[in-house]
mmCIF file of all heavy atoms in Angstrom:
data_model
loop_
_atom_site.group_PDB
_atom_site.id
_atom_site.type_symbol
_atom_site.label_atom_id
_atom_site.label_comp_id
_atom_site.label_asym_id
_atom_site.label_seq_id
_atom_site.Cartn_x
_atom_site.Cartn_y
_atom_site.Cartn_z
ATOM 1 N N TYR A 116 107.553 109.163 105.357
ATOM 2 C CA TYR A 116 107.044 107.842 105.023
ATOM 3 C C TYR A 116 107.494 106.752 105.981
ATOM 4 O O TYR A 116 108.328 105.955 105.682
ATOM 5 C CB TYR A 116 107.448 107.434 103.567
ATOM 6 C CG TYR A 116 106.825 108.280 102.485
ATOM 7 C CD1 TYR A 116 107.323 108.271 101.184
ATOM 8 C CD2 TYR A 116 105.765 109.232 102.774
ATOM 9 C CE1 TYR A 116 106.739 109.004 100.120
ATOM 10 C CE2 TYR A 116 105.157 109.935 101.827
ATOM 11 C CZ TYR A 116 105.632 109.890 100.503
ATOM 12 O OH TYR A 116 105.065 110.631 99.529
ATOM 13 N N SER A 120 103.173 106.643 110.335
ATOM 14 C CA SER A 120 102.180 107.586 109.623
ATOM 15 C C SER A 120 101.341 106.737 108.587
ATOM 16 O O SER A 120 100.597 107.335 107.776
ATOM 17 C CB SER A 120 102.876 108.785 108.943
ATOM 18 O OG SER A 120 103.768 108.206 108.010
ATOM 19 N N PHE A 121 101.539 105.491 108.592
ATOM 20 C CA PHE A 121 100.802 104.704 107.565
ATOM 21 C C PHE A 121 99.567 104.088 108.259
ATOM 22 O O PHE A 121 99.649 103.450 109.308
ATOM 23 C CB PHE A 121 101.727 103.557 107.059
ATOM 24 C CG PHE A 121 101.185 102.913 105.823
ATOM 25 C CD1 PHE A 121 101.280 103.402 104.608
ATOM 26 C CD2 PHE A 121 100.423 101.633 105.936
ATOM 27 C CE1 PHE A 121 100.777 102.783 103.478
ATOM 28 C CE2 PHE A 121 99.829 101.086 104.864
ATOM 29 C CZ PHE A 121 100.047 101.657 103.604
ATOM 30 N N ILE A 122 98.387 104.354 107.620
ATOM 31 C CA ILE A 122 97.150 103.894 108.209
ATOM 32 C C ILE A 122 96.826 102.596 107.507
ATOM 33 O O ILE A 122 96.801 102.438 106.301
ATOM 34 C CB ILE A 122 95.987 104.869 107.934
ATOM 35 C CG1 ILE A 122 96.433 106.280 108.435
ATOM 36 C CG2 ILE A 122 94.753 104.387 108.542
ATOM 37 C CD1 ILE A 122 96.513 106.434 109.938
ATOM 38 N N ASN A 127 95.145 97.442 102.478
ATOM 39 C CA ASN A 127 96.612 97.407 102.516
ATOM 40 C C ASN A 127 97.151 96.508 103.725
ATOM 41 O O ASN A 127 98.373 96.614 103.939
ATOM 42 C CB ASN A 127 97.161 98.846 102.564
ATOM 43 C CG ASN A 127 96.670 99.565 103.846
ATOM 44 O OD1 ASN A 127 96.417 98.972 104.793
ATOM 45 N ND2 ASN A 127 96.575 100.849 103.669
ATOM 46 N N GLY A 153 97.534 100.017 92.274
ATOM 47 C CA GLY A 153 97.211 101.205 91.522
ATOM 48 C C GLY A 153 97.961 102.520 91.967
ATOM 49 O O GLY A 153 98.602 102.476 93.111
ATOM 50 N N VAL A 154 97.672 103.560 91.283
ATOM 51 C CA VAL A 154 98.353 104.846 91.542
ATOM 52 C C VAL A 154 97.983 105.442 92.868
ATOM 53 O O VAL A 154 96.808 105.418 93.216
ATOM 54 C CB VAL A 154 97.953 105.783 90.371
ATOM 55 C CG1 VAL A 154 98.703 107.171 90.582
ATOM 56 C CG2 VAL A 154 98.372 105.206 88.994
ATOM 57 N N GLY A 155 99.019 105.935 93.647
ATOM 58 C CA GLY A 155 98.743 106.706 94.716
ATOM 59 C C GLY A 155 98.173 105.991 95.954
ATOM 60 O O GLY A 155 97.400 106.515 96.771
ATOM 61 N N LEU A 156 98.434 104.689 95.980
ATOM 62 C CA LEU A 156 97.842 103.891 97.097
ATOM 63 C C LEU A 156 98.814 103.581 98.217
ATOM 64 O O LEU A 156 98.497 102.851 99.121
ATOM 65 C CB LEU A 156 97.286 102.604 96.507
ATOM 66 C CG LEU A 156 96.143 102.758 95.598
ATOM 67 C CD1 LEU A 156 95.557 101.330 95.188
ATOM 68 C CD2 LEU A 156 94.951 103.614 96.211
ATOM 69 N N GLY A 157 100.006 104.139 98.163
ATOM 70 C CA GLY A 157 100.888 104.012 99.342
ATOM 71 C C GLY A 157 102.013 103.068 99.142
ATOM 72 O O GLY A 157 102.686 102.594 100.109
ATOM 73 N N LYS A 158 102.307 102.649 97.933
ATOM 74 C CA LYS A 158 103.442 101.709 97.689
ATOM 75 C C LYS A 158 104.736 102.306 98.075
ATOM 76 O O LYS A 158 105.541 101.662 98.788
ATOM 77 C CB LYS A 158 103.421 101.210 96.231
ATOM 78 C CG LYS A 158 102.137 100.590 95.780
ATOM 79 C CD LYS A 158 102.261 100.080 94.388
ATOM 80 C CE LYS A 158 102.407 101.155 93.334
ATOM 81 N NZ LYS A 158 101.201 102.150 93.209
ATOM 82 N N THR A 159 105.015 103.483 97.647
ATOM 83 C CA THR A 159 106.245 104.175 97.918
ATOM 84 C C THR A 159 106.393 104.373 99.494
ATOM 85 O O THR A 159 107.402 104.170 100.070
ATOM 86 C CB THR A 159 106.399 105.488 97.246
ATOM 87 O OG1 THR A 159 106.149 105.252 95.839
ATOM 88 C CG2 THR A 159 107.700 106.208 97.481
ATOM 89 N N HIS A 160 105.311 104.882 100.060
ATOM 90 C CA HIS A 160 105.286 105.062 101.486
ATOM 91 C C HIS A 160 105.675 103.901 102.279
ATOM 92 O O HIS A 160 106.574 103.838 103.172
ATOM 93 C CB HIS A 160 103.822 105.582 101.909
ATOM 94 C CG HIS A 160 103.711 105.983 103.276
ATOM 95 N ND1 HIS A 160 102.954 107.054 103.652
ATOM 96 C CD2 HIS A 160 104.161 105.497 104.433
ATOM 97 C CE1 HIS A 160 103.023 107.265 104.961
ATOM 98 N NE2 HIS A 160 103.711 106.312 105.479
ATOM 99 N N ASP A 216 108.684 101.623 91.419
ATOM 100 C CA ASP A 216 108.079 101.603 90.074
ATOM 101 C C ASP A 216 108.980 100.906 89.051
ATOM 102 O O ASP A 216 109.405 101.380 88.015
ATOM 103 C CB ASP A 216 107.978 103.166 89.641
ATOM 104 C CG ASP A 216 106.915 103.890 90.437
ATOM 105 O OD1 ASP A 216 105.941 103.246 90.665
ATOM 106 O OD2 ASP A 216 107.109 105.068 90.629
ATOM 107 N N ILE A 285 92.865 108.162 107.339
ATOM 108 C CA ILE A 285 94.021 108.793 106.743
ATOM 109 C C ILE A 285 93.826 110.339 106.807
ATOM 110 O O ILE A 285 94.877 111.051 107.129
ATOM 111 C CB ILE A 285 94.216 108.304 105.145
ATOM 112 C CG1 ILE A 285 94.555 106.920 105.192
ATOM 113 C CG2 ILE A 285 95.163 109.209 104.458
ATOM 114 C CD1 ILE A 285 94.576 106.310 103.780
ATOM 115 N N VAL A 313 94.897 107.756 97.325
ATOM 116 C CA VAL A 313 95.199 108.414 98.509
ATOM 117 C C VAL A 313 95.974 109.811 98.273
ATOM 118 O O VAL A 313 95.743 110.761 98.977
ATOM 119 C CB VAL A 313 96.094 107.644 99.501
ATOM 120 C CG1 VAL A 313 96.372 108.323 100.795
ATOM 121 C CG2 VAL A 313 95.345 106.364 99.766
ATOM 122 N N ARG A 314 96.671 109.844 97.240
ATOM 123 C CA ARG A 314 97.352 111.064 96.882
ATOM 124 C C ARG A 314 96.288 112.158 96.539
ATOM 125 O O ARG A 314 96.350 113.340 96.989
ATOM 126 C CB ARG A 314 98.290 110.917 95.712
ATOM 127 C CG ARG A 314 99.188 112.149 95.477
ATOM 128 C CD ARG A 314 100.197 111.882 94.348
ATOM 129 N NE ARG A 314 101.191 110.903 94.700
ATOM 130 C CZ ARG A 314 101.333 109.777 94.016
ATOM 131 N NH1 ARG A 314 100.522 109.572 92.967
ATOM 132 N NH2 ARG A 314 102.229 108.866 94.306
ATOM 133 N N GLU A 317 94.648 113.292 99.768
ATOM 134 C CA GLU A 317 95.410 114.365 100.433
ATOM 135 C C GLU A 317 95.331 115.605 99.697
ATOM 136 O O GLU A 317 95.251 116.773 100.375
ATOM 137 C CB GLU A 317 96.847 113.862 100.542
ATOM 138 C CG GLU A 317 97.048 112.776 101.384
ATOM 139 C CD GLU A 317 98.555 112.311 101.602
ATOM 140 O OE1 GLU A 317 99.374 112.702 100.740
ATOM 141 O OE2 GLU A 317 98.790 111.563 102.444
HETATM 142 N N1 LIG B 1 97.699 104.051 104.145
HETATM 143 C C1 LIG B 1 98.128 105.214 104.148
HETATM 144 N N2 LIG B 1 98.285 105.895 105.189
HETATM 145 C C2 LIG B 1 98.808 107.137 105.148
HETATM 146 N N3 LIG B 1 99.149 107.855 104.068
HETATM 147 C C3 LIG B 1 99.069 107.161 102.899
HETATM 148 C C4 LIG B 1 98.498 105.833 102.869
HETATM 149 N N4 LIG B 1 98.508 105.457 101.572
HETATM 150 C C5 LIG B 1 98.983 106.403 100.818
HETATM 151 N N5 LIG B 1 99.319 107.427 101.624
HETATM 152 C C6 LIG B 1 99.879 108.812 101.227
HETATM 153 O O1 LIG B 1 99.418 108.978 99.846
HETATM 154 C C7 LIG B 1 100.388 109.613 99.094
HETATM 155 C C8 LIG B 1 100.694 108.716 97.923
HETATM 156 O O2 LIG B 1 101.309 107.496 98.304
HETATM 157 P P1 LIG B 1 102.513 106.844 97.546
HETATM 158 O O3 LIG B 1 103.297 107.841 96.769
HETATM 159 O O4 LIG B 1 103.187 105.890 98.462
HETATM 160 O O5 LIG B 1 101.673 106.025 96.454
HETATM 161 P P2 LIG B 1 102.218 105.028 95.287
HETATM 162 O O6 LIG B 1 101.308 103.779 95.384
HETATM 163 O O7 LIG B 1 103.651 104.828 95.553
HETATM 164 O O8 LIG B 1 101.892 105.839 94.048
HETATM 165 P P3 LIG B 1 102.506 105.667 92.497
HETATM 166 O O9 LIG B 1 101.832 104.584 91.929
HETATM 167 O O10 LIG B 1 102.124 107.013 91.879
HETATM 168 O O11 LIG B 1 104.027 105.541 92.649
HETATM 169 C C9 LIG B 1 101.649 109.772 100.005
HETATM 170 O O12 LIG B 1 101.536 111.089 100.522
HETATM 171 C C10 LIG B 1 101.351 108.696 101.142
HETATM 172 O O13 LIG B 1 101.989 109.188 102.312
#
Side-chain angles (χ1 to χ4, degrees):
Y116 292 170
S120 60
F121 192 84
I122 306 292
N127 61 29
V154 176
L156 294 183
K158 300 184 294 298
T159 303
H160 186 140
D216 289 326
I285 291 173
V313 181
R314 191 176 295 118
E317 291 183 342

